[in-house]
């Protein structure tokens, strides 16, 4: 007799939460800029989220690197 297999939905673990202060890095090869930002969405490592740069108020999409860092290439 066979066994019924249940589907398990795997959701990525949240690394950064909405409202969290993060380190923002912009890297275009020759230029590397870092700044403080606020996450406007939650997300997991390798996901893209919207962040707001604290010094300028500009909103950008950046990829989550770890629990404290996002990067835009």
């Amino acid at each position: 007799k066979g066994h019924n297999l249940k589907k398990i939905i795997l959701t990525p673990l949240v690394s950064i939460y909405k409202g969290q202060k993060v380190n923002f890095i912009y890297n275009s090869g020759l230029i590397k800029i870092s700044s403080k930002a606020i996450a406007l969405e939650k997300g997991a490592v390798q996901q893209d989220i919207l962040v707001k740069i604290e010094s300028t108020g500009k909103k950008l999409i950046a990829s989550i690197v770890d629990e404290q860092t996002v990067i835009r290439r």
Side-chain angles (χ1 to χ4, degrees), residues 43-59:
V45 171
Q46 295 184 345
Q47 287 184 328
D48 292 339
I49 62 168
L50 185 64
V51 298
K52 182 169 84 172
I53 307 302
E54 287 187 326
S55 61
T56 64
K58 188 171 183 176
K59 296 178 183 177

Side-chain angles (χ1 to χ4, degrees), residues 1-18:
K1 257 185 171 180
H3 297 285
N4 289 336
L5 296 176
K6 291 182 181 179
K7 273 190 178 180
I8 298 174
I9 299 173
L10 298 176
T11 55
L13 296 175
V14 174
S15 300
I16 290 179
Y17 291 89
K18 182 177 179 177

